[in-house]
Amino acid sequence: MKIQGKVFVVTGGGNGIGREVVLTLLQKGARVAAVDLSDERLAETAAIAKAGDRLSTHALNVTDREAVAALPGRVIAVHKNVDGLFNVAGIIQKFVPIDDLAIEDIERVMAVNFRAPWLLSCEFARRRMAAQQPGRIVNIASVHGLVASVNKGAYLAAKHGLVGLSKGVALETATQGIAVNCICPGWTDTAIIQPQIDLRAAKFGGDRDAGHAPVDGRGEGRVDEARGEREGEEVRAVDERRVAAARLGRVDSPRGCADGARRADTGPGRV
């Protein structure tokens, strides 16, 4: 899909990876509807972008089914069309064992990280297929959609689920020309990761630099998006991880997520 002149919806557009996706799409000539829970964060994105009417902002809770159902109509009212959807919005969980995580916390993580992309994909795909138009869905999962680490049970379940959902939607919509990609970033230095950096900083020296320090003598385990978190990680064979990463289009930074999604034009239904 050519980006220039196309219209993309980006959730989580008020900060982190979502903001970088918004800015990159605008730089490439797209029109963007940025979605976020916070009006203030969306205003910050708009101030940085300086894109005029090519950027619209939409404050809503992506777990609100009625708001999600109304979103395509709101975007079309401004931009006249919707060509692509980036499901970026996500939250982290409390870092506790599975039996210490409250059911309310589990449901909240699943609602934002899994159910919301499901609902948004349904609304987008329904409209594109009804209009018999091709489109693109890009889901931002996580390296934790491929491997596991301790004290992140709900987050792992949601991100593994999003990888599986991407494959399923790809198969169901391929014949209608809707291509689906899933990107699995490693540990990226954004606001969502700050609690983990703080925990590591306290453990390894008490400052932010210590939070990025290696956790073993070989220099592995850094907060270096290419590898992801290694401490407590269920490590697979290197070749297997490389194959999985290649198939899922994993990239390594906020800017890279936007670029990687753009490059992942491997044909309808490919994941």
Side-chain angles (χ1 to χ4, degrees):
M1 177 183 285
K2 300 295 185 182
I3 288 179
Q4 187 165 358
K6 297 292 197 252
V7 180
F8 297 92
V9 175
V10 182
T11 69
N15 59 48
I17 292 174
R19 176 178 287 172
E20 291 296 330
V21 172
V22 169
L23 296 177
T24 298
L25 290 171
L26 290 169
Q27 289 167 4
K28 300 299 180 181
R31 300 181 67 88
V32 178
V35 178
D36 198 273
L37 188 61
S38 167
D39 271 317
E40 182 178 348
R41 291 197 299 260
L42 286 170
E44 292 172 356
T45 298
I48 295 169
K50 296 181 174 62
D53 65 1
R54 288 196 298 118
L55 173 64
S56 64
T57 58
H58 307 266
L60 62 86
N61 186 337
V62 293
T63 68
D64 183 332
R65 295 181 64 178
E66 291 184 0
V68 167
L71 180 61
R74 291 173 59 188
V75 175
I76 289 171
V78 176
H79 299 284
K80 312 306 180 187
N81 198 14
V82 180
D83 298 290
L85 166 67
F86 282 78
N87 283 310
V88 186
I91 59 173
I92 197 68
Q93 68 166 81
K94 296 178 182 177
F95 308 126
V96 296
I98 57 172
D99 55 344
D100 289 337
L101 192 62
I103 188 66
E104 294 80 11
D105 292 327
I106 297 170
E107 291 174 345
R108 187 170 66 94
V109 170
M110 294 299 293
V112 176
N113 293 358
F114 178 70
R115 191 179 71 186
W118 183 310
L119 295 176
L120 285 156
S121 295
C122 287
E123 292 297 334
F124 172 79
R126 183 183 298 119
R127 288 177 178 266
R128 300 303 294 180
M129 290 189 292
Q132 296 184 324
Q133 294 178 318
R136 169 76 69 182
I137 298 174
V138 179
N139 293 321
I140 305 299
S142 166
V143 67
H144 283 110
L146 304 175
V147 297
S149 60
V150 297
N151 298 336
K152 295 180 182 177
Y155 187 80
L156 290 167
K159 293 303 186 178
H160 274 74
L162 185 53
V163 171
L165 174 66
S166 301
K167 294 178 179 179
V169 175
L171 292 174
E172 293 183 21
T173 62
T175 56
Q176 283 78 37
I178 297 176
V180 181
N181 291 91
C182 187
I183 296 173
C184 294
W187 202 359
T188 307
D189 192 357
T190 61
I192 194 174
I193 215 74
Q194 188 59 47
Q196 294 181 74
I197 294 176
D198 291 342
L199 286 173
R200 285 172 53 81
K203 181 176 180 179
F204 294 110
D207 58 23
R208 184 173 176 80
D209 288 341
H212 290 76
V215 298
D216 65 33
R218 294 169 297 170
E220 295 184 352
R222 299 180 62 85
V223 186
D224 67 354
E225 302 90 349
R227 289 183 181 271
E229 182 186 23
R230 306 281 298 201
E231 184 180 17
E233 183 177 288
E234 179 183 301
V235 181
R236 297 181 178 181
V238 172
D239 287 345
E240 180 182 348
R241 291 183 63 188
R242 286 175 177 167
V243 170
R247 287 176 177 169
L248 289 164
R250 193 177 79 208
V251 293
D252 303 329
S253 69
R255 183 74 64 183
C257 284
D259 293 343
R262 188 186 70 251
R263 289 197 303 268
D265 290 67
T266 52
R270 298 290 183 184
V271 181

